[in-house]
Amino acid sequence: MPTTEKEYNGYLFDQLSILERIEAVAKEEAVLKQIAIERRQIERKLYQQPPLKSE
């Protein structure tokens, strides 16, 4: 079943929320560095230009 762009963005925002919760309790620098990398990758997908579907 195809996912709409709105649903896909919702999944990406959920992933960002999970990263924020992990970041709140992470203490090791290596973990925080990996969280930053993951956040950039998710945001790249979320804010891609042009969007998935032209309307």
Side-chain angles (χ1 to χ4, degrees):
M1 183 162 148
T3 302
T4 66
E5 186 173 2
K6 185 176 180 179
E7 288 174 316
Y8 185 66
N9 286 346
Y11 298 144
L12 294 173
F13 280 119
D14 289 343
Q15 290 178 1
L16 288 173
S17 295
I18 291 167
L19 285 178
E20 288 172 356
R21 290 194 301 268
I22 294 169
E23 190 174 30
V25 297
K27 298 186 188 311
E28 294 181 30
E29 188 62 33
V31 173
L32 294 171
K33 186 176 180 180
Q34 187 62 39
I35 289 171
I37 291 169
E38 297 298 327
R39 181 185 310 279
R40 283 193 304 272
Q41 291 175 351
I42 293 168
E43 288 175 347
R44 188 176 313 128
K45 293 175 190 174
L46 185 61
Y47 302 116
Q48 69 183 350
Q49 291 298 325
L52 293 174
K53 175 174 112 176
S54 300
E55 294 184 53

